[in-house]
C-alpha cells in the first residue's frame, strides 16, 4: 500500500464519528499492522477489509482472515480479547467474512531474542488448533517468523 493510500485510509478512520479516540487509535494501528504484514509476507495479497477485528486479505480468489495480537498479551495476567481464543467467535467470523483460512499474527515492537514465550503461549492456549497459520511480526525490524 502506498503512503498516499495509507493516509487516505487513516483519514477515513479519523473522520468516522462512530469511533472513539481509542478506537480510532486501534484502527490506525491495525491498518499499519496489516500493511506491514502484507508488504513483508506476500505483496501479492490484496487488503480487502481492515475494519473488523479479523482483517481480510485475498490472493488468487482465496480469502484469508488475519487477527493481529499485540505481543504484550503474553505478559498480561488475563486475556480480554474475545476473538483470540474463542473457537465459536472465530468460526462465526470465518463464515461471515467468507474466508478459507484464519491466521494469527503476534506483533512485536521490541526486540525479543527468543520465540519461546510465543510458542509456550500458543501451546498453553491451544491456538494451533484454531488457526491455519501463526506468525510473529517484529514491526520495526520488518521480520516475520512463521510459527505454524
Amino acid at each position: 500500500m502506498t503512503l498516499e493510500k495509507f493516509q487516505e485510509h487513516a483519514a477515513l478512520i479519523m473522520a468516522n464519528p462512530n469511533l472513539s479516540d481509542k478506537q480510532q487509535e486501534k484502527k490506525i494501528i491495525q491498518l499499519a499492522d496489516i500493511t506491514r504484514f502484507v508488504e513483508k509476507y506476500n505483496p501479492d495479497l490484496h487488503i480487502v477489509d481492515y475494519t473488523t477485528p479479523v482483517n481480510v486479505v485475498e490472493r488468487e480468489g482465496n480469502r484469508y482472515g488475519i487477527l493481529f495480537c499485540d505481543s504484550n498479551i503474553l505478559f498480561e495476567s488475563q486475556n480480554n480479547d474475545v476473538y483470540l481464543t474463542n473457537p465459536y467467535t472465530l468460526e462465526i467470523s470465518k463464515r461471515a467474512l467468507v474466508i478459507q483460512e484464519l491466521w494469527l499474527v503476534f506483533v512485536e515492537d521490541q526486540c525479543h531474542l527468543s520465540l519461546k514465550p510465543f510458542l509456550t503461549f500458543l501451546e498453553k492456549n491451544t491456538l494451533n488448533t484454531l488457526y491455519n497459520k501463526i506468525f510473529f511480526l517484529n514491526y520495526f525490524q520488518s521480520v516475520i517468523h512463521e510459527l505454524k
Side-chain angles (χ1 to χ4, degrees), residues 58-125:
E58 186 176 64
R59 183 182 71 214
E60 299 174 0
N62 294 317
R63 292 168 57 101
Y64 308 98
I66 305 174
L67 183 65
F68 290 94
C69 176
D70 188 319
S71 65
N72 289 329
I73 196 166
L74 275 67
F75 309 108
E76 296 174 0
S77 60
Q78 188 173 9
N79 173 17
N80 294 323
D81 190 336
V82 296
Y83 281 89
L84 184 62
T85 59
N86 187 319
Y88 304 107
T89 304
L90 290 171
E91 187 59 35
I92 289 168
S93 294
K94 199 172 174 180
R95 289 180 187 183
L97 297 169
V98 192
I99 53 179
Q100 283 77 34
E101 290 186 6
L102 193 56
W103 300 351
L104 174 63
V105 179
F106 289 106
V107 180
E108 174 63 66
D109 59 4
Q110 305 292 319
C111 283
H112 277 294
L113 300 176
S114 172
L115 296 176
K116 187 165 176 44
F118 297 94
L119 297 171
T120 301
F121 182 83
L122 293 175
E123 186 177 317
K124 177 183 170 194
N125 293 284

Side-chain angles (χ1 to χ4, degrees), residues 1 8-9 12 19 21 28 33 37-38 41 49 78 83-84 87 92 100 104-105 110 122 124 127 132 138:
M1 177 182 299
E8 181 182 311
H9 286 290
L12 289 172
L19 297 176
D21 290 346
I28 296 287
D33 288 344
F37 179 79
V38 166
Y41 178 66
D49 188 4
Q78 188 173 9
Y83 281 89
L84 184 62
I92 289 168
Q100 283 77 34
L104 174 63
V105 179
Q110 305 292 319
L122 293 175
K124 177 183 170 194
L127 298 182
N132 301 90
N138 185 300

